[in-house]
Amino acid sequence: ARELAEQIRQRVAATEILPERAITISLGVSCWYGGNDSGMALLQRADKALYAAKNAGRNCVQLEAEGHKISRENDESFSLLIF
């Protein structure tokens, strides 16, 4: 998910929408952990990651908090991007 978010960020930055002004985006990436995880918790983590990206200087990708590692080992997991 991080690679996809980074590709989206780069493509937006490279697209000329307004010649006199650069357009950029910040993205927050979170992951669904199944089991006791909830949709609301997923959105809250992604939103926190988005604000961390904005606070890091904008035009960047931020993963959710270190306490929640995004892993491909869990087949029930999927990622969420918010920008």
Side-chain angles (χ1 to χ4, degrees), residues 7-52:
Q7 288 174 6
I8 292 169
R9 186 199 63 75
Q10 289 176 5
R11 286 186 184 203
V12 168
T15 302
E16 188 175 309
I17 298 171
L18 299 171
E20 65 280 353
R21 184 165 180 153
I23 304 293
T24 62
I25 60 172
S26 296
L27 297 102
V29 179
S30 184
C31 188
W32 173 264
Y33 297 102
N36 293 329
D37 204 358
S38 70
M40 183 59 74
L42 172 70
L43 288 171
Q44 288 172 339
R45 290 191 308 269
D47 189 54
K48 255 186 171 171
L50 171 61
Y51 280 94

Side-chain angles (χ1 to χ4, degrees), residues 2 11 14 22-23 27 30-31 35-36 42 49 51 53 55 59 61 64-65 72 74 76 78 80 82:
R2 179 167 180 49
R11 286 186 184 203
I23 304 293
L27 297 102
S30 184
C31 188
N36 293 329
L42 172 70
Y51 280 94
N55 290 330
N59 190 29
V61 174
E64 65 181 285
R72 293 183 183 184
N74 183 352
E76 296 178 17
F78 69 89
L80 173 70
I82 294 185

Side-chain angles (χ1 to χ4, degrees), residues 60-71:
C60 64
V61 174
Q62 183 72 38
L63 301 178
E64 65 181 285
E66 282 297 311
H68 297 281
K69 300 256 184 194
I70 294 177
S71 170

